Amino acid sequence: MYTLRPEKTEDWWEVEALYDLCFAPGREALSSYRLRDGVPTVAGLSSVARDADDILSGAIRYWPVRIGDHSALLLGPIAVHPTRQGEGLGGALIRNSLSRAQDQGWARVMLVGDAPYYAKFGFSQLSGVVMPPPTNPERVLGLHVDGPDWKDVKGYVVRAP
């Protein structure tokens, strides 16, 4: 049994420790982190999952980005504690947060990730949307949540103002 709730300020360092545990050293050198530096997460979408003992079991964050004149959400990172993986918690975090993104009026969500995993949530490869290097273009994925699709969105992904 897990409780999913928006991330609070006091969760920040515990979530960072989870990301350190789940990802390779140097994760903050990835190009997606340049889009996050100095930009707050999107209120109400970045979430944590806690078990019945209030132990952090998973986390997901969202950041605003721009591609030309278009706004989008950048999903990530998402992590599930190694002792909790395989229980569907990552999927629950994704589905729950995407539903809230739609409720907030966001039309587009993108990420850098493994297409076979994220396809089950509706993500597919984006053509013409360029993440800062070095990013494998085959891993740049997008989802049309509501409203306009990705068809006419082309260009470089930059930090939201």
Side-chain angles (χ1 to χ4, degrees), residues 59-123:
I60 188 170
R61 286 184 174 157
Y62 284 87
W63 310 83
V65 293
R66 304 269 318 155
I67 306 103
D69 293 332
H70 305 281
S71 61
L73 289 171
L74 177 62
L75 185 163
I78 177 170
V80 174
H81 193 280
T83 62
R84 301 296 190 181
Q85 291 177 3
E87 298 176 3
L89 185 54
L93 282 164
I94 292 170
R95 283 187 293 279
N96 179 273
S97 59
L98 288 176
S99 176
R100 286 187 286 122
Q102 183 175 12
D103 291 345
Q104 286 188 15
W106 289 94
R108 300 174 189 96
V109 179
M110 64 175 298
L111 58 84
V112 177
D114 296 320
Y117 176 77
Y118 288 102
K120 62 185 165 189
F121 303 104
F123 286 87

Side-chain angles (χ1 to χ4, degrees), residues 9-99:
T9 304
E10 56 267 23
D11 296 320
W12 183 267
W13 292 111
E14 194 175 4
V15 170
E16 285 295 310
L18 176 65
Y19 290 152
D20 286 343
L21 175 67
C22 293
F23 297 108
R27 68 180 168 87
E28 292 180 351
L30 296 172
S31 61
S32 56
Y33 276 84
R34 288 194 294 266
L35 299 171
R36 300 172 183 145
D37 286 340
V39 178
T41 60
V42 177
L45 293 184
S46 297
S47 304
V48 296
R50 293 192 174 272
D51 68 13
D53 294 319
D54 202 36
I55 296 171
L56 183 68
S57 301
I60 188 170
R61 286 184 174 157
Y62 284 87
W63 310 83
V65 293
R66 304 269 318 155
I67 306 103
D69 293 332
H70 305 281
S71 61
L73 289 171
L74 177 62
L75 185 163
I78 177 170
V80 174
H81 193 280
T83 62
R84 301 296 190 181
Q85 291 177 3
E87 298 176 3
L89 185 54
L93 282 164
I94 292 170
R95 283 187 293 279
N96 179 273
S97 59
L98 288 176
S99 176

Side-chain angles (χ1 to χ4, degrees), residues 144-160:
H144 163 234
V145 179
D146 193 23
D149 60 23
W150 285 94
K151 185 178 85 173
D152 297 323
V153 180
K154 307 285 183 220
Y156 291 93
V157 180
V158 298
R159 291 178 352 158

